[in-house]
C-alpha cells in the first residue's frame, strides 16, 4: 500500500507523464511537464527509489553545493500535484523523470499504484520522436490510444504501431491492461535539428494537451521562445544550400499531404483555442525514437566555434522527368504558339530572352525548367510510436 501524506483529496485528477531519453527528442516532452510544474508551482510529494530502476553508470548522479554542504541528486522519477483553477477546477498529477534502465514492469506498476490511490481518471503520456518534418511548418502532434472506445470519444488514433518501443509505450499498455484510460501525445521533431531545447515542439504538445483535457495552460514565454528558435534554425539552414534545398523538399511534401488541413477542423480548433485564451485573458544527449522506431543520434555540433549546424543531409532521390525547359529563341517567322523547349522561333518581332513565347512577335522572359532534379521527394509517411 502506498502511503500518501499531505496530499489532499483531488478533483477530477489527470496524470500527465514524460520521461527523458529515447522517447524525448529535443527534450520536448519532459520540458512540457517541467513547464506545467513551474507555471502552477507543483509540489513534489513522492519519488521512486532510484536504486530499483536506474543504472548509475548510464544515468549518473550529480553533486552540488547547498550552503557549503555537498549534496547528491540521484536520477529518478518524481511525482507532483498542481491545482488548475477556473470555473471547473481540476488537479493534475505530474510525473517527470528519466526512462528507467531496468525493471520496467515494476516501474509501471508503481506509477499505476499512485494513480489508483489518487483516483486518477486519465493518464496522458507525452513523447517526442524524430521525423521527416520541416521546422518551418506547424509541429505534427499525434494522439494515440489502445482503447477503441476512447479513440472514438476523444478523436484519437487507435494505435497500430509495431516495432521497438520505450517507456511511453510500455506505460500506456500497462494502463490499458489495468483498466485505466491512457493516451499518448507525440510531437514530431525535425531530425536535422534534434538537439534540445525545442520550444516549438513543447508548445505544440501543451496546446494539444490543453484541448484534450479542457484546461487553459499558461504559456509564459514559450511562444516567443518558439519564434526565436525557428528564426535561429532558418539562419543555420540558409548557410548550407543542401540543407536549405532539403527543407524546401520537406515543405512541399508536407503542404501537398496536408492540404485539407488548411481548412475545416484545423481552423476550427485554432479558433476555439483563440476564444478560450481571449476569455481567459479577460479572466540528456543520446539517441531518440524516430518515426520508424529506429534510433537516431543527435544534431551535430561543429567543434571550432561551438555553433550548432544541421548535418549535411543527402538530397532525396527524385525521378528525373523529361526536360521541358526553355531554350534560346533565335529565328524569324510567324509564331503562333507557346514554346517550351529549345527550337527555332520564326515569328516577326522582338525576342527579349529565353523562355515562353506568348504570341506573335514578343517573347516575355525566362520560363520554368521542370526537368531533372526539379521534382520533390519524401522519405515516406510519418508514423507515431505508441
Amino acid at each position: 500500500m502506498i502511503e500518501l501524506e499531505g496530499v489532499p483529496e483531488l478533483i477530477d485528477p489527470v496524470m500527465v507523464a514524460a520521461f527523458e531519453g529515447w522517447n524525448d527528442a529535443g527534450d520536448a516532452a519532459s520540458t512540457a511537464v517541467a513547464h506545467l510544474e513551474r507555471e502552477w508551482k507543483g509540489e513534489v510529494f513522492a519519488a521512486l527509489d532510484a536504486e530499483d530502476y536506474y543504472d548509475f553508470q548510464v544515468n549518473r548522479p550529480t553533486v552540488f553545493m547547498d550552503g557549503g554542504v555537498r549534496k547528491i541528486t540521484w536520477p529518478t522519477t518524481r511525482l507532483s500535484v498542481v491545482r488548475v483553477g477556473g470555473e471547473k477546477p481540476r488537479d493534475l498529477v505530474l510525473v517527470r523523470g528519466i526512462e528507467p534502465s531496468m525493471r520496467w514492469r515494476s516501474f509501471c506498476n508503481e506509477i499505476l499504484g499512485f494513480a489508483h490511490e489518487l483516483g486518477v481518471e486519465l493518464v496522458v503520456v507525452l513523447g517526442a520522436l524524430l521525423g521527416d518534418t520541416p521546422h518551418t511548418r506547424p509541429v505534427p502532434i499525434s494522439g494515440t490510444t489502445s482503447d477503441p472506445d476512447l479513440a472514438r470519444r476523444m478523436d484519437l488514433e487507435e494505435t497500430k504501431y509495431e516495432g521497438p518501443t520505450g517507456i511511453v509505450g510500455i506505460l500506456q499498455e500497462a494502463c490499458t491492461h489495468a483498466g485505466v484510460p491512457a493516451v499518448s501525445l507525440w510531437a514530431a521533431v525535425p531530425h536535422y535539428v534534434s538537439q534540445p531545447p525545442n520550444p516549438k515542439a513543447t508548445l505544440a504538445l501543451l496546446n494539444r494537451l490543453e484541448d484534450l483535457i479542457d484546461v487553459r495552460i499558461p504559456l509564459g514565454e514559450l511562444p516567443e521562445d518558439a519564434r526565436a528558435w525557428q528564426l535561429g534554425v532558418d539562419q543555420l539552414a540558409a548557410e548550407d544550400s543542401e540543407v536549405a534545398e532539403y527543407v524546401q523538399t520537406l515543405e512541399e511534401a508536407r503542404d501537398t499531404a496536408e492540404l485539407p488541413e488548411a481548412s475545416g477542423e484545423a481552423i476550427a480548433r485554432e479558433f476555439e483555442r483563440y476564444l478560450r485564451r481571449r476569455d481567459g485573458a479577460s479572466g540528456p544527449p543520446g539517441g531518440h525514437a524516430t518515426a520508424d522506431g529506429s534510433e537516431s543520434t543527435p544534431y551535430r555540433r561543429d567543434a571550432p566555434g561551438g555553433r550548432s549546424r544541421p548535418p549535411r543531409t543527402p538530397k532525396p532521390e527524385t525521378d528525373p522527368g523529361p526536360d521541358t525547359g526553355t531554350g534560346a529563341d533565335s529565328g524569324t517567322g510567324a509564331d503562333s504558339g507557346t514554346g517550351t523547349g529549345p527550337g527555332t522561333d520564326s515569328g516577326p518581332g522582338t525576342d527579349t530572352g529565353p523562355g515562353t513565347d506568348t504570341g506573335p512577335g514578343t517573347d516575355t522572359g525566362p520560363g520554368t525548367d521542370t526537368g531533372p532534379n526539379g521534382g520533390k521527394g519524401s522519405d515516406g509517411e510519418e508514423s507515431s510510436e505508441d
Side-chain angles (χ1 to χ4, degrees), residues 139-152:
V139 176
I141 301 292
S142 57
T144 64
T145 180
S146 299
D147 185 338
D149 293 333
L150 191 63
R152 287 191 295 271

Side-chain angles (χ1 to χ4, degrees), residues 36-57:
L36 298 178
E37 284 184 328
R38 182 172 58 255
E39 291 294 325
W40 280 320
K41 299 177 173 56
E43 297 182 4
V44 175
F45 65 87
L48 277 59
D49 190 343
E51 291 280 350
D52 292 339
Y53 304 115
Y54 294 98
D55 180 347
F56 298 138
Q57 291 182 326

Side-chain angles (χ1 to χ4, degrees), residues 70-279:
R70 289 171 63 84
K71 294 185 177 181
I72 296 177
T73 298
W74 296 93
T76 188
T77 295
R78 295 177 172 82
L79 291 85
S80 59
V81 63
V82 299
R83 171 66 52 87
V84 181
E87 295 181 1
K88 296 187 298 181
R90 78 181 315 168
D91 293 307
L92 299 184
V93 179
L94 305 179
V95 180
R96 182 163 66 103
I98 304 170
E99 184 177 65
S101 306
M102 61 194 80
R103 302 185 184 92
W104 284 19
R105 285 176 291 188
S106 298
F107 179 89
C108 292
N109 287 337
E110 192 163 352
I111 296 293
L112 282 169
F114 282 106
H116 175 73
E117 290 299 317
L118 294 168
V120 167
E121 301 176 348
L122 174 70
V123 174
V124 182
V125 194
L126 307 183
L129 52 79
L130 301 180
D132 294 328
T133 180
H135 70 279
T136 53
R137 296 294 185 265
V139 176
I141 301 292
S142 57
T144 64
T145 180
S146 299
D147 185 338
D149 293 333
L150 191 63
R152 287 191 295 271
R153 198 164 65 248
M154 305 189 77
D155 191 24
L156 302 167
E157 299 176 23
E158 186 179 353
T159 180
K160 302 295 184 183
Y161 174 80
E162 295 179 307
T165 189
I167 195 60
V168 170
I170 298 299
L171 179 57
Q172 180 176 330
E173 288 305 305
C175 291
T176 300
H177 290 305
V180 179
V183 173
S184 295
L185 298 181
W186 287 92
V189 173
H191 67 84
Y192 57 89
V193 55
S194 61
Q195 88 285 6
N198 189 320
K200 186 173 181 179
T202 296
L203 179 62
L205 280 171
L206 291 175
N207 283 335
R208 186 67 178 90
L209 177 65
E210 187 178 63
D211 296 339
L212 185 71
I213 62 177
D214 193 24
V215 298
R216 181 178 179 274
I217 298 175
L219 299 178
E221 297 180 356
L222 263 179
E224 183 60 33
D225 291 343
R227 284 190 289 269
W229 177 87
Q230 181 165 324
L231 287 174
V233 179
D234 284 343
Q235 293 172 358
L236 291 174
E239 295 176 4
D240 191 317
S241 60
E242 291 185 7
V243 172
E245 183 178 347
Y246 180 57
V247 171
Q248 183 178 6
T249 300
L250 294 178
E251 290 172 341
E252 293 172 354
R254 172 77 180 275
D255 293 344
T256 301
E258 299 191 358
L259 188 60
E261 287 296 316
S263 59
E265 292 184 4
I267 293 178
R269 282 196 302 268
E270 289 301 317
F271 186 63
E272 288 173 0
R273 183 179 296 119
Y274 163 75
L275 292 178
R276 191 162 54 240
R277 291 197 173 282
R278 186 192 65 177
D279 295 341

